[in-house]
Amino acid sequence: MELVSENRAFGGTHSRYSHASATVNCDMTFAVFLPPFASADNPVPVLYWLSGLTCNDENFMQKAGAMKLAAQLGMAIVAPDTSPRGDHVADVDSYDMGKGAGFYVNATQSPYAEHYQMYDYVTKELPALIEREFPVTRERAISGHSMGGHGALVIALRNPKQYVSVSAFSPVANPVNCPWGKQAFSAYLGDNEQDWRGYDASVLLAEKQHYIPMLVEQGRSDQFLTEQLKPEALISAAQQSDTQLTLNMHEGYDHSYFFIASFIDEHLQFHAANLGLI
């Protein structure tokens, strides 16, 4: 790892690192917030945060206002980038495909398969690196926003033994049935829609009962609500499988980090409770 930057924050430390990733075949950057007193003798649990389209590791750390309460709770936060990066990485001239838009899948189609293995990066390589290099436990929670909310829900539902809880803000809840998802999945995974279903939270949630605690926030004034996000699909899926899901709809809130900052404390407390911190 190479230290990119480091800042003192709320008695803890916010750091950015780059490392050569074997999974996505390029250098990746991630951010880590370690609360005060985290040490080899006092390791802390981790909340992984997955960001949305056009974002990188910096957006959540700088805009969400999460570090103060995380410091008080004794919780580390890890925020990876949203896609592979570099001049040699396949890209298109669009904000919702290519760099900044990895959709947290393992791509199978050329030219994306060489680098766009974000599912394995987030679920395998990154946590192994974090747990080897930082004073953290193996207890993990996961959350995210928009595309990252999709990623968090899918990853938790597919790996319920690896995460004690999952939450999401404005997630892309049913990507097999929305323009963002159809475009990305056809490019990354191919034209067989059966291959898409394993990366759709609503499909996964409907298939069987799940016991991982789930919390979702959605603003009613979100400009992407009807066409792209489709929270009603998530509600219907939870009802089909008789799975407990808390989904809160908020009048007047949009898709921005103002929305995330307004309710991030509730999500940190939700995860802290499931991590045994409170």
Side-chain angles (χ1 to χ4, degrees):
M1 297 190 306
E2 179 181 348
L3 180 64
V4 176
S5 65
E6 185 171 271
N7 304 94
R8 194 72 169 161
F10 304 104
T13 305
H14 168 268
S15 305
R16 298 182 71 221
Y17 291 88
S18 67
H19 73 110
S21 167
T23 303
V24 298
N25 196 26
C26 67
D27 288 345
M28 290 292 285
T29 302
F30 64 88
V32 177
F33 173 72
L34 290 175
F37 312 117
S39 67
D41 295 327
N42 184 40
V44 297
V46 182
L47 172 65
Y48 287 85
W49 174 271
L50 306 183
S51 290
L53 292 168
T54 76
C55 295
N56 58 27
D57 65 283
E58 295 182 280
N59 296 76
F60 178 78
M61 293 299 200
Q62 295 185 11
K63 295 181 178 181
M67 286 186 282
K68 183 175 183 178
L69 182 56
Q72 296 169 2
L73 293 168
M75 178 191 299
I77 301 175
V78 173
D81 203 346
T82 53
S83 78
R85 305 279 181 172
D87 293 341
H88 59 299
V89 173
D91 196 16
V92 293
D93 188 18
S94 175
Y95 79 95
D96 51 5
M97 268 290 300
K99 295 177 189 177
F103 273 85
Y104 305 101
V105 304
N106 284 340
T108 59
Q109 304 300 300
S110 180
Y112 301 103
E114 182 180 359
H115 299 287
Y116 286 77
Q117 304 295 312
M118 288 299 295
Y119 177 85
D120 278 355
Y121 178 74
V122 171
T123 60
K124 296 177 182 179
E125 184 177 18
L126 182 61
L129 176 66
I130 296 298
E131 290 163 13
R132 184 175 68 245
E133 299 290 341
F134 296 94
V136 301
T137 69
R138 293 181 61 85
E139 295 176 296
R140 310 170 190 162
I142 191 165
S143 186
H145 172 234
S146 193
M147 178 186 71
H150 138 76
L153 290 169
V154 166
I155 285 169
L157 291 171
R158 288 177 56 156
N159 303 277
K161 294 183 179 179
Q162 292 187 33
Y163 304 92
V164 303
S165 52
V166 58
S167 72
F169 289 81
S170 315
V172 183
N174 190 204
V176 301
N177 288 316
C178 79
W180 278 342
K182 289 179 179 181
Q183 174 182 257
F185 286 2
S186 61
Y188 296 150
L189 304 174
D191 294 331
N192 185 351
E193 295 187 12
Q194 285 298 117
D195 296 335
W196 304 359
R197 294 172 63 83
Y199 293 107
D200 186 301
S202 294
V203 171
L204 295 171
L205 190 55
E207 286 178 342
K208 65 177 182 178
Q209 191 170 29
H210 296 268
Y211 297 97
I212 185 168
M214 288 182 283
L215 174 62
V216 177
E217 309 293 331
Q218 177 62 62
R220 291 189 185 276
S221 294
D222 192 315
Q223 64 269 41
F224 304 113
L225 178 62
T226 302
E227 184 179 29
Q228 303 283 13
L229 305 182
K230 301 185 181 297
E232 66 280 358
L234 207 59
I235 296 170
S236 176
Q239 292 171 343
Q240 288 181 55
S241 61
D242 194 26
T243 295
Q244 185 174 353
L245 165 70
T246 301
L247 196 156
N248 301 314
M249 301 294 296
H250 299 276
E251 294 291 343
Y253 285 92
D254 58 20
H255 200 71
S256 71
Y257 266 84
F258 293 106
F259 174 48
I260 297 171
S262 298
F263 298 100
I264 192 62
D265 283 2
E266 287 84 346
H267 283 240
L268 292 178
Q269 290 164 344
F270 165 76
H271 291 298
N274 287 289
L275 289 165
L277 295 174
I278 57 176

